[in-house]
Amino acid sequence: MSGYGRTEPVVSVENLHKVYKSKRTPFGRPVSVKALKGISLKVYPGEIVGIVGESGSGKTTLAKIIAGIESPTKGRIFVKKPIQMVFQDPFSSLNPRMKVKDIVVEPVEATRKIQKHQRFKLATELLKKVGLDEDALEKYPHEFSGGQRQRIAIARAISIDPQVLILDEPTSSLDVFVQAQIINLLLEIHKRTEAAYLFITHNIPLVINFAHRLVVMKDGEIVEEGNAWETYNTPKHPYTENLISSVPSKIFSLIG
Amino acid sequence: MLLSLEDLKISFRVNGGITKEALRGVSFSVFEGEIYCLLGESGSGKSVLLKSILGLLPPNAEVSGRVIFDGKNLLELSQKELSRFRGSRISMIFQEPMTALNPTMKVGEQVAEVLRFHFGLSTKEAEKKVVALLAELGIPEPEHRYHQYPHNFSGGMRQRIVIAMAVVANPELILADEPTTALDVTVQSQILHLLKVLVARRGASMIFVTHDFSVVAEIGDRVGVMYRGVLVEEGRVEEVLRFPKHPYTKALIEAIPVPGRPLVSFSVPKENVPTEGCPYVVRCPVKIGKCFESMPDFVYVDSTHRVRCFNIDNFS
Ligand SMILES: Nc1ncnc2c1ncn2[C@@H]1O[C@H](COP(=O)(O)OP(=O)(O)OP(=O)(O)O)[C@@H](O)[C@H]1O
Ligand SMILES: Nc1ncnc2c1ncn2[C@@H]1O[C@H](COP(=O)(O)OP(=O)(O)O)[C@@H](O)[C@H]1O
Ligand code: SF4
Ligand SMILES: [Mg+2]
Ligand SMILES: [Mg+2]
């Protein structure tokens, strides 16, 4: 990406390795899984990077290490803070015992002390940014639909103006209309904040419409990366080719 | 005609004597050898519909209408009579493969059990048949895999085992509830292909439930679009995708991510279903006065394409 090459990256990882030693299962011997095998990746300010690849290829592991939720077995990481992550499942990613007004300001409170009236104002503003009404403030997560919860998770993530926002399949549990709303919301926020996005997904037709770059992972390695649109149309690695040919594409010729 | 649903209504008794309508009178037929896709957003009633066919609804469900299979109304059969249909003549594939499998039993034996239960095959005979089927489903080293447990398999391989259980007795009708939603695209594409081949090879029919129009385009012969417990449009897959008539179907198609096409945002109000009138009236951009008053009947666009809408002429 020559356009981004001149600035300093906001994420830079080099030769990342992650080995999970799984606990003994009731059925078999403990095994260790090499989830990442030497990943190097740079992400530049304002860049949207789509990460695709089959299930188990290491996408979430990479995301968690970059977000600081997990530590690598080996390798170097540089991340410009603040960084935030939005998870796939809006039902388990929010604390069920906390009210929305407390959930959305939590990352801010972790960094600095805020006063009660500021807190309320901040929470209201955040909800407004993601298109939720003020009456959501006093409610608990279970009182919301999947799409609304994902909005709450996004409000929380943008509360500290992250330099880097990691989105791990943020719409895959949502219906198409809600998906379209959430994607447009994320793109609008991107325009405003210029945060870098790492967007993990199985929905290739979706992500290539807004990602600048596509990163293709398989078995803990990056097998191909490049301009999103070009990689989709002219994949170079046989694995990428196979992945893209698995996209259900009959529909495109029908609805043309 | 293999199966026909006639004015199927389902509601649930929930707390405080309230009833919640899940299906508001659904009628359609499934023909021999076809894949009928049932498409709708979550909560539209797809799973409830499938479960009612095999008598798998919970006790707080109230069901009316008819489900005719082989001349019998399945809704009138006892659980005991239904159990003779389940697995042998009509089988079900669930979304989450782990819920359908017993974690403590060898996968091959789980498939073989279907044969032993319905046809009284011996263990040896059943194993031979199952190993051949696992091979047909693209499971490598089937003799060896037969003796492994579900946790030894990946999500895609587990779903193949669930499919094996569903097809091993050569049922005439397979009910598949979002069988690929939990899988990644590569495995989804393999499973869709596999299901298509199996259905064709055995001359079976399938009702394939999904919320994903792109999957419908890959696998379906006909599609029925459901909105809040109502079948709002039905036709051949190509016809419906090329010439959708219902405003809801049209919006669904516009919301599909297509490479090179920006995503349109739709507003999604959460108002309750009006009890009378068209279920889509709250969201509909072309509603007219009578849409609030009564449920539209089906209008036939041609002999195979029908739409429940008062105003299709003004919407094309
Ligand atoms: N906590 C853990 N303990 C043991 N193994 C793990 C753990 N987390 C992940 N793994 C293993 O690491 C590998 C990579 O997993 P990861 O969750 O990163 O995949 P993914 O690409 O995100 O897949 P998906 O598309 O299904 O979300 C897999 O083999 C997985 O089973
Ligand atoms: N056991 C139940 N008790 C009460 N309501 C139920 C029950 N099962 C399903 N429903 C309701 O019936 C409607 C249809 O559900 P379902 O068929 O599961 O939808 P989907 O189309 O997502 O498969 C929903 O409003 C759901 O909440
Ligand atoms: S019947 Fe009326 S409200 Fe319903 S879809 Fe047609 S025009 Fe819209
Ligand atoms: Mg993941
Ligand atoms: Mg369902």
Side-chain angles (χ1 to χ4, degrees):
Chain A
M1 296 282 330
S2 57
Y4 292 99
R6 284 183 293 270
T7 47
E8 290 294 308
V10 284
V11 174
S12 169
V13 299
E14 254 171 72
N15 198 26
L16 274 194
H17 287 258
K18 178 71 182 178
V19 180
Y20 285 111
K21 293 200 179 54
S22 68
K23 291 179 211 95
R24 190 178 292 271
T25 65
F27 305 100
R29 277 170 272 113
V31 280
S32 63
V33 179
K34 288 183 184 159
L36 299 182
K37 304 176 198 163
I39 298 273
S40 298
L41 178 68
K42 283 186 171 57
V43 181
Y44 293 91
E47 196 184 13
I48 302 181
V49 178
I51 303 183
V52 300
E54 67 198 14
S55 199
S57 57
K59 305 180 296 295
T60 299
T61 305
L62 175 63
K64 284 181 174 166
I65 291 176
I66 293 175
I69 300 167
E70 299 238 10
S71 49
T73 311
K74 201 178 108 186
R76 292 206 303 171
I77 321 171
F78 164 79
V79 174
K80 190 129 182 243
K81 302 239 164 57
I83 181 167
Q84 286 287 309
M85 182 160 170
V86 173
F87 297 89
Q88 166 178 358
D89 182 3
F91 290 88
S92 61
S93 65
L94 301 174
N95 186 340
R97 274 186 273 276
M98 279 170 76
K99 284 187 176 174
V100 169
K101 64 173 184 193
D102 300 319
I103 291 175
V104 293
V105 298
E106 201 183 23
V108 182
E109 290 200 304
T111 58
R112 62 184 156 93
K113 195 124 186 78
I114 38 175
Q115 278 171 344
K116 217 171 174 185
H117 71 279
Q118 282 179 315
R119 217 164 165 271
F120 186 81
K121 196 168 155 246
L122 179 61
T124 313
E125 275 168 16
L126 285 168
L127 288 186
K128 206 171 149 205
K129 280 187 188 160
V130 297
L132 288 174
D133 291 337
E134 214 172 291
D135 62 5
L137 286 169
E138 299 293 334
K139 292 186 182 166
Y140 291 94
H142 74 262
E143 299 175 67
F144 296 90
S145 69
Q148 289 169 325
R149 284 184 205 209
Q150 211 53 305
R151 283 170 193 268
I152 296 167
I154 292 167
R156 181 180 191 279
I158 62 174
S159 64
I160 44 169
D161 300 324
Q163 293 276 329
V164 185
L165 183 57
I166 302 182
L167 302 144
D168 190 356
E169 303 193 42
T171 62
S172 63
S173 62
L174 307 175
D175 285 316
V176 280
F177 299 120
V178 188
Q179 166 170 278
Q181 287 180 337
I182 298 286
I183 293 298
N184 285 324
L185 171 66
L186 287 168
L187 294 180
E188 190 198 302
I189 293 171
H190 182 262
K191 226 187 250 163
R192 226 172 32 222
T193 63
E194 283 286 306
Y197 282 9
L198 269 143
F199 194 101
I200 297 173
T201 184
H202 289 289
N203 197 333
I204 298 171
L206 177 75
V207 73
I208 56 148
N209 278 330
F210 54 81
H212 304 116
R213 187 149 55 110
L214 200 65
V215 168
V216 185
M217 287 184 64
K218 176 174 169 49
D219 294 337
E221 290 175 299
I222 293 176
V223 296
E224 178 164 358
E225 65 172 293
N227 174 285
W229 188 249
E230 278 167 23
T231 306
Y232 176 74
N233 287 300
T234 49
K236 297 204 175 55
H237 193 283
Y239 175 73
T240 313
E241 210 177 324
N242 182 42
L243 184 70
I244 286 165
S245 69
S246 302
V247 170
S249 56
K250 258 188 199 164
I251 187 138
F252 304 142
S253 58
L254 289 170
I255 66 181
Chain B
M1 194 183 313
L2 181 66
L3 175 84
S4 90
L5 308 186
E6 296 170 7
D7 200 24
L8 187 62
K9 290 189 177 128
I10 299 172
S11 55
F12 293 96
R13 284 183 304 275
V14 285
N15 295 339
I18 308 162
T19 57
K20 187 174 177 185
E21 275 190 308
L23 283 190
R24 295 176 66 192
V26 171
S27 306
F28 68 87
S29 300
V30 179
F31 299 104
E32 279 84 2
E34 80 166 333
I35 298 182
Y36 185 99
C37 289
L38 206 53
L39 177 94
E41 289 169 279
S42 70
S44 58
K46 310 178 299 291
S47 297
V48 162
L49 186 150
L50 284 195
K51 284 181 186 157
S52 73
I53 296 173
L54 279 178
L56 298 173
L57 289 172
N60 67 329
E62 273 172 38
V63 186
S64 74
R66 307 203 309 158
V67 175
I68 307 293
F69 179 82
D70 192 18
K72 291 184 196 66
N73 181 2
L74 299 185
L75 297 182
E76 286 170 349
L77 299 187
S78 66
Q79 283 294 329
K80 194 163 170 237
E81 288 167 309
L82 274 175
S83 71
R84 263 183 262 126
F85 281 87
R86 275 186 215 133
S88 64
R89 300 190 63 191
I90 305 177
S91 66
M92 182 121 171
I93 303 171
F94 294 92
Q95 173 172 346
E96 198 28 79
M98 255 344 232
T99 59
L101 293 171
N102 177 345
T104 62
M105 191 173 166
K106 290 176 179 173
V107 295
E109 284 175 4
Q110 298 190 47
V111 184
E113 204 178 52
V114 181
L115 288 175
R116 295 212 300 273
F117 177 80
H118 290 291
F119 305 107
L121 291 194
S122 72
T123 312
K124 267 258 134 56
E125 289 167 320
E127 177 165 347
K128 217 173 124 192
K129 279 205 145 181
V130 171
V131 168
L133 176 62
L134 297 185
E136 185 186 354
L137 294 182
I139 294 176
E141 306 177 45
E143 292 91 350
H144 173 62
R145 290 299 209 158
Y146 184 99
H147 298 284
Q148 291 190 326
Y149 293 91
H151 77 270
N152 296 120
F153 290 74
S154 66
M157 282 295 164
R158 273 179 208 148
Q159 196 56 295
R160 282 173 210 245
I161 302 295
V162 175
I163 290 170
M165 285 168 73
V167 302
V168 68
N170 276 324
E172 293 134 88
L173 178 64
I174 301 164
L175 310 175
D177 194 355
E178 310 216 23
T180 60
T181 302
L183 307 172
D184 69 33
V185 272
T186 321
V187 182
Q188 166 171 284
S189 142
Q190 292 162 357
I191 298 286
L192 290 179
H193 179 73
L194 187 67
L195 284 172
K196 221 173 159 165
V197 170
L198 277 176
V199 166
R201 213 179 268 163
R202 282 149 208 255
S205 307
M206 180 157 73
I207 302 182
F208 187 103
V209 161
T210 179
H211 65 271
D212 186 348
F213 238 135
S214 59
V215 168
V216 172
E218 296 294 315
I219 197 170
D221 296 309
R222 283 194 301 146
V223 60
V225 180
M226 300 253 297
Y227 184 76
R228 297 200 171 169
V230 179
L231 188 72
V232 296
E233 178 157 12
E234 179 188 73
R236 288 185 300 103
V237 168
E238 294 201 353
E239 165 84 11
V240 171
L241 277 168
R242 278 188 207 278
F243 311 109
K245 290 285 187 264
H246 197 281
Y248 176 63
T249 315
K250 198 143 185 187
L252 273 179
I253 291 172
E254 281 168 19
I256 297 167
V258 177
R261 183 177 85 169
L263 269 187
V264 191
S265 263
F266 296 83
S267 63
V268 187
K270 52 176 199 280
E271 279 94 327
N272 290 327
V273 184
T275 45
E276 287 150 78
C278 173
Y280 195 57
V281 72
V282 180
R283 273 157 84 166
C284 185
V286 294
K287 55 182 163 263
I288 49 177
K290 62 179 164 181
C291 305
F292 291 94
E293 287 150 23
S294 60
M295 169 90 86
D297 282 328
F298 270 118
V299 176
Y300 281 80
V301 180
D302 62 41
S303 62
T304 58
H305 189 177
R306 53 185 186 143
V307 192
R308 255 189 209 281
C309 177
F310 284 127
N311 199 18
I312 56 171
D313 296 334
N314 293 320
F315 196 79
S316 46

